[in-house]
Amino acid sequence: MPETLIQWGFFKVSTLGVFILGGFIFGYWLSMRLLHARGVITSSERLRVFDAALYTFVIGLLGAHLWAAVSIFGFSRAAWEGLWTVQSPLVFMGGLITGYATWRYFGRRIAPEKVPVWLACGFAGAMGALAVGKVGQYLGGASFGKTASVLAVHGTFALEIIQAAGFACAAYLTIAFLKKDNPVLALRAGASSMLLTYLVTSFFSVPGPLSTPRAVLGLDQWLEIFAIVLVLGGSRWMQKKRGKS
C-alpha cells in the first residue's frame, strides 16, 4: 500500500494514520465488550468509558514521545524539535507508563471495586489496538521511522508483522485468563507476552539510543528482561514480603 492514501494540498491521509484510527476504534470496542461482559460497567456508562479511552490514547501518545525526547535530549530545544521524530524503546516505555496511569485513574473513578478487571480489559483492548497499528506500520512502510527501502536493507520490515502477532497473542492470553475470573494472572500473562515480543524483535531491529551493548545484550533488552521477571514474579514476591513484615 502507498504511504499516503489521500493528499489534497496540505491535507494528507496516511496509511499509518488510518490504521491508528482503526486500532483505536477496535481497542475501544474490545475493551467495552469485555468490561460489559465482566459486569464492570452498565449500559449508561459507555460514554464515560469512551472518554477514558480517548484520554488514555491522547495522554499515552503525548507521554510516549515527551518521555523519549526529554530522556534523550533533556529539557532543551532539541527535545521539542525531535518530539515526534525520535524513535526509541523509550517511546514505548513512556506510552506504557502514562497510558497505564491514565486508564487506572479513570478505573478508580468509574469502577473502584473492580480496578484489576478494569485494567485487564483495557490492556486487552490496547494490545488489540497495537496489533492493528503495527499492521498499518508494515503496510505504510513507516516501521521504526524508516522508509521501506531502508527497511529492506536492514531486514526489519517484517518485524512489524511479528510484533502485530505478538500483541494479538497478548490480547488473547489476557482475555483467556479473564474468562477464568483471574484478572491479575490475565495482566501478568498478557504483559509478559507483550514484553517478550519486544525482546525477541529487538535483536533484529534498527539500533536505537539504548542499544549499546551491556554484557552482550543492549540496555533496552536488559530492561525488558527485568520487566518480564518483575511482571511474572517480582510483584508477588514483594506482596509476600510486605505481608510478613
Side-chain angles (χ1 to χ4, degrees), residues 170-217:
Y172 173 80
L173 288 174
T174 306
I175 295 171
F177 283 107
L178 263 175
K179 290 182 177 180
K180 297 181 181 296
D181 294 323
N182 197 333
V184 175
L185 187 56
L187 277 172
R188 287 178 180 171
S192 299
S193 179
M194 172 197 69
L195 292 167
L196 183 61
T197 299
Y198 261 94
L199 176 63
V200 171
T201 55
S202 67
F203 287 95
F204 308 98
S205 61
V206 177
L210 293 181
S211 299
T212 304
R214 298 285 193 280
V216 181
L217 299 179

Side-chain angles (χ1 to χ4, degrees), residues 9-242:
F10 66 89
F11 180 77
K12 182 173 70 171
V13 178
S14 66
T15 298
L16 178 59
V18 170
F19 274 83
I20 288 177
L21 177 61
F24 170 76
I25 295 173
F26 175 72
Y28 165 71
W29 171 83
L30 180 59
S31 59
M32 176 71 73
R33 182 171 180 175
L34 292 172
L35 287 168
H36 190 68
R38 307 313 301 172
V40 178
I41 60 168
T42 61
S43 299
S44 61
E45 292 175 321
R46 290 177 179 271
L47 187 60
R48 296 181 67 187
V49 176
F50 178 80
D51 290 341
L54 186 60
Y55 276 109
T56 300
F57 175 76
V58 173
I59 294 176
L61 186 63
L62 290 174
H65 287 273
L66 184 62
W67 184 289
V70 171
S71 299
I72 295 173
F73 301 108
F75 293 95
S76 63
R77 184 176 179 180
W80 177 255
E81 293 174 347
L83 184 62
W84 297 108
T85 58
V86 62
Q87 298 292 324
S88 164
L90 289 169
V91 174
F92 175 73
M93 294 179 191
L96 184 65
I97 293 171
T98 54
Y100 175 85
T102 305
W103 185 256
R104 184 182 181 89
Y105 167 78
F106 280 99
R108 289 186 176 276
R109 291 170 63 97
I110 298 174
E113 302 297 327
K114 297 184 178 181
V115 172
V117 183
W118 168 273
L119 291 173
C121 293
F123 182 81
M127 289 299 101
L130 278 172
V132 175
K134 286 296 179 180
V135 173
Q137 279 188 297
Y138 174 79
L139 295 176
S143 174
F144 298 99
K146 306 293 183 181
T147 61
S149 59
V150 176
L151 290 169
V153 173
H154 289 85
T156 60
F157 197 37
L159 290 183
E160 298 298 341
I161 296 299
I162 297 174
Q163 288 180 336
F167 293 146
C169 180
Y172 173 80
L173 288 174
T174 306
I175 295 171
F177 283 107
L178 263 175
K179 290 182 177 180
K180 297 181 181 296
D181 294 323
N182 197 333
V184 175
L185 187 56
L187 277 172
R188 287 178 180 171
S192 299
S193 179
M194 172 197 69
L195 292 167
L196 183 61
T197 299
Y198 261 94
L199 176 63
V200 171
T201 55
S202 67
F203 287 95
F204 308 98
S205 61
V206 177
L210 293 181
S211 299
T212 304
R214 298 285 193 280
V216 181
L217 299 179
L219 179 58
D220 56 335
Q221 293 162 349
W222 282 116
L223 288 173
E224 285 155 5
I225 291 174
F226 172 75
I228 292 173
V229 173
L230 186 64
V231 166
L232 287 176
S235 57
R236 179 89 174 169
W237 176 79
M238 291 175 66
Q239 289 174 358
K240 286 184 177 180
K241 189 174 182 181
R242 191 180 304 163

